[in-house]
Amino acid sequence: MMQTYRDLGALRERIGTWKQEGRRIGFVPTMGNLHAGHYALVELARQHCDAVIASIFVNPTQFGPNEDYARYPRTEQRDAEGLADAGTAALFLPSLDVMYPFGAMGCVQMHVPGITDILCGAHRPGHFNGVATVVARLFNMVQPDCAVFGRKDYQQLQVIRYMSEELSFPIEIIPAPTLREASGLAMSSRNQYLSDEERATATAIYRTLESMRAACIAGTPTAKIEQDAEAELQSLGFTVDYAEIRSAMLAPASRAMDKRRVALIAAFLGRTRLIDNLEFEIP
Ligand code: PAF
């Protein structure tokens, strides 16, 4: 039976008991508005630990001034039912005051250098520092043994890995595979904003990633691959933020230290910003 905690003291008491019993604790942080991809994160966490704690907190510090924090869907009841069905042991629902006792403006902030300024970070200034700020707080509150993050948010995953390693958090970061619809479209809370027509068009993102991978493996110069991908997406009506090939650590492909690569796309369809990526190795 899943228990819900809004109060940090009560949650910590529960966690303390589990730790005394020698249970390994897994953590799945979310902003709610959950879909099958999130429940798969819980499922993966369950494979790595004895008790899964999930959190729902719509984090204001990761929204830009033109991004709609106020209108982000709050679907707490439905999310809680889904998390319980997925086998979550405890749900943490911190209020703004619990998360940011001195206010979001006056909070101690994380700044992860370099990696937060490129790709999505260049288009959403401050976003990843807001993510790092809230994840560091959640890690400190929950003190899990492991935490699961989706590969769909590839750059977010790298930011959290960097922060956790650099700050020596004793938390194993477990990446979860991207869940896709049969069409290849990556599952995302934002897909609900797409019209039927846009949803069909959105499947081009994954197809373009596959073409980028094939061209890279065939030895096509990176600049040409990126130009072709952008042109293809634009011709279909996307407004492209970026279509790039990077090293697995997100350095420019020309500075890659090994054969692992990732193709990444961020593009708008109408007002909806979609991201996706594909990891691969070159021969
Ligand atoms: O990926 C998300 O849902 C959010 O960025 C996260 C990690 C829960 C932090 O608010």
Side-chain angles (χ1 to χ4, degrees), residues 31-277:
M31 296 212 300
N33 195 21
L34 304 182
H35 53 74
H38 293 104
Y39 302 131
L41 304 184
V42 174
E43 182 50 46
L44 185 62
R46 287 179 65 198
Q47 292 167 22
H48 287 263
C49 68
D50 307 305
V52 177
I53 301 173
S55 65
I56 299 178
F57 178 71
V58 185
N59 173 36
T61 65
Q62 69 187 77
F63 285 78
N66 300 320
E67 298 176 350
D68 227 341
Y69 165 69
R71 281 183 51 203
Y72 189 89
R74 271 85 170 167
T75 52
E76 193 178 293
Q77 184 61 37
R78 198 194 69 201
D79 294 344
E81 285 166 16
L83 287 168
D85 289 349
T88 307
L91 172 58
F92 182 37
L93 294 171
S95 64
L96 263 178
D97 287 348
V98 168
M99 186 58 67
Y100 297 114
F102 295 172
M105 297 300 283
C107 77
V108 176
Q109 292 182 36
M110 284 288 164
H111 171 65
V112 184
I115 193 171
T116 55
D117 299 329
I118 57 171
L119 300 166
C120 284
H123 294 272
R124 302 181 68 189
H127 168 69
F128 288 118
N129 289 326
V131 170
T133 296
V134 80
V135 170
R137 279 160 188 269
L138 283 163
F139 279 0
N140 183 46
M141 289 173 177
V142 175
Q143 306 203 349
D145 297 293
C146 62
V148 179
F149 293 87
R151 288 187 181 277
K152 154 97 173 17
D153 295 306
Y154 189 87
Q155 190 174 3
Q156 169 172 285
L157 174 65
Q158 301 312 324
V159 168
I160 288 162
R161 278 176 157 163
Y162 186 109
M163 174 182 79
S164 299
E165 200 177 324
E166 212 266 338
L167 291 176
S168 308
F169 286 152
I171 300 169
E172 184 190 357
I173 305 297
I174 301 171
T178 302
L179 232 61
R180 299 186 180 280
E181 296 180 358
S183 64
L185 180 65
M187 288 196 187
S188 162
S189 309
R190 294 186 176 188
N191 293 351
Q192 68 190 281
Y193 302 126
L194 300 170
S195 66
D196 288 348
E197 197 186 329
E198 285 174 335
R199 214 182 169 90
T201 308
T203 60
I205 292 184
Y206 187 56
R207 284 199 302 281
T208 306
L209 288 169
E210 289 182 312
S211 306
M212 291 170 80
R213 173 178 62 184
C216 194
I217 288 171
T220 309
T222 306
K224 172 152 175 46
I225 299 173
E226 294 174 350
Q227 274 163 19
D228 289 352
E230 194 166 335
E232 170 67 11
L233 291 168
Q234 273 169 358
S235 74
L236 294 168
F238 290 89
T239 305
V240 182
D241 272 354
Y242 60 80
E244 292 193 25
I245 306 265
R246 295 253 169 176
S247 78
M249 306 303 291
L250 294 179
S254 57
R255 297 216 311 265
M257 305 293 283
D258 61 23
K259 292 174 180 297
R260 291 178 305 142
R261 299 285 181 277
V262 57
L264 306 112
I265 289 175
F268 282 87
L269 250 192
R271 291 187 58 202
T272 310
R273 188 174 190 271
L274 300 169
I275 58 168
D276 200 357
N277 67 82

